[in-house]
Amino acid sequence: AKRELVDVDHSQVQYEPFRRDFYIEVPEIANMSDADVAAYRRHELERVRVRGKSCPRPVKTFAQCGLSARLLHAMEQLGFSRPTPIQ
């Protein structure tokens, strides 16, 4: 039998606080100048254009994303050596 989900008013629920910004920029990326970022996007990322406020700087390797060694190894085994421009 199919069970119906109960509607929840999340404004009435007391949730434990948690950090909402899960991405921590590694020093190598944080230390890039705006000119370095623009040049990297232009030359290495196939002219990717980014719009908006406080857009994150591009990562150059999956290791800079904070992924586990096990996941990095699995991705390497599957042939994913570095992030694609859209990632």
Side-chain angles (χ1 to χ4, degrees):
K2 185 176 178 182
R3 291 179 40 189
E4 294 292 323
L5 295 177
V6 178
D7 287 336
V8 177
D9 181 357
H10 293 280
S11 67
Q12 301 300 314
V13 179
Q14 296 293 323
Y15 291 107
E16 291 290 323
F18 65 94
R19 183 181 54 138
R20 293 175 190 237
D21 185 7
F22 299 104
Y23 175 66
I24 298 172
E25 200 171 61
V26 296
E28 178 184 357
I29 300 300
N31 293 332
M32 291 175 70
S33 69
D34 290 342
D36 291 339
V37 170
Y40 186 75
R41 284 187 175 130
R42 188 170 45 256
H43 298 292
E44 301 293 327
L45 299 181
E46 303 171 15
R47 298 180 173 261
V48 166
R49 291 184 179 180
V50 178
R51 292 184 291 179
K53 296 180 180 179
S54 302
C55 296
R57 295 170 179 273
V59 295
K60 298 177 181 181
T61 67
F62 285 119
Q64 294 170 332
C65 298
L67 304 175
S68 70
R70 182 177 176 187
L71 183 55
L72 290 172
H73 179 71
M75 291 172 68
E76 185 178 314
Q77 294 284 314
L78 293 169
F80 297 103
S81 58
R82 65 184 211 153
T84 63
I86 196 66
Q87 291 170 322

